Amino acid sequence: SVTGVQTCALPISALALIASACSINVERNVDGSLQVKGEITAQALATEFERDPDNDSVKLSINDGVMLLDVEGVDEEGEYVANLRIELSAVDGVLVVNITEAFYNGWTVPDDMRAEFNAEISKEIREAVEENPDATLVSLVADNNKIVTEWRIETEDSKGS
């Protein structure tokens, strides 16, 4: 069973929401829109994954647009070790999260299951975008064990200009 991989993979879609959790800087642009810069470290993100009661140990690194996530824990199936390679990027103003490799207890997670995880993550991100249609991801840098994002938030002022 790959339940543990699903458990630790699905919260990745929360990156769009968590990305400003560590530090945030808000500035008003000349047109009235807001420029929001957020930063989260690999350690702070690992702490978010550790909130899942099934996860006993979380190791996370971020470099060159890639997040490597190693999780050890216990679920209804017993002890597990999950390893994920996740590519992060901004495409057309939206966060893109792509699990390119996944292992569960040393076994390669099948491509169709990885595709299912990626589809679920994309769906959650799309739903978050629909809830916040005035927010556009301008840039994302995932390197040096941190994620730095810049968002443009439309306001009534910027929509009217």
Side-chain angles (χ1 to χ4, degrees), residues 13 94-97 121-130:
S13 65
V94 178
L95 172 67
V96 175
V97 177
I121 292 166
S122 294
K123 177 182 173 238
E124 288 185 28
I125 292 170
R126 189 172 53 254
E127 288 171 355
V129 168
E130 289 170 1

Side-chain angles (χ1 to χ4, degrees), residues 48-130:
E48 290 299 317
F49 283 103
E50 288 171 349
R51 292 180 193 270
D52 183 325
D54 289 344
N55 297 339
D56 294 332
S57 168
V58 177
K59 294 179 184 168
L60 193 143
S61 64
I62 303 167
N63 287 298
D64 297 324
V66 174
M67 180 167 52
L68 300 177
L69 177 63
D70 299 316
V71 180
E72 295 179 14
V74 179
D75 61 15
E76 63 275 359
E77 302 288 324
E79 292 183 6
Y80 67 85
V81 176
N83 313 95
L84 297 146
R85 181 183 187 280
I86 305 154
E87 294 178 357
L88 305 169
S89 60
V91 177
D92 296 328
V94 178
L95 172 67
V96 175
V97 177
N98 184 25
I99 301 170
T100 57
E101 293 179 13
F103 300 92
Y104 181 78
N105 288 339
W107 296 89
T108 300
V109 174
D111 289 344
D112 61 335
M113 185 169 277
R114 229 179 359 89
E116 186 178 318
F117 293 155
N118 285 328
E120 179 65 26
I121 292 166
S122 294
K123 177 182 173 238
E124 288 185 28
I125 292 170
R126 189 172 53 254
E127 288 171 355
V129 168
E130 289 170 1

Side-chain angles (χ1 to χ4, degrees), residues 4-58:
V5 174
Q6 186 172 13
T7 298
C8 66
L10 292 180
I12 294 166
S13 65
L15 281 173
L17 303 174
I18 297 171
S20 62
C22 250
S23 67
I24 188 168
N25 182 34
V26 180
E27 294 180 13
R28 182 171 296 280
N29 294 319
V30 174
D31 68 356
S33 65
L34 301 177
Q35 177 181 353
V36 180
K37 291 184 181 179
E39 179 178 310
I40 188 166
T41 64
Q43 181 58 48
L45 195 52
T47 299
E48 290 299 317
F49 283 103
E50 288 171 349
R51 292 180 193 270
D52 183 325
D54 289 344
N55 297 339
D56 294 332
S57 168
V58 177

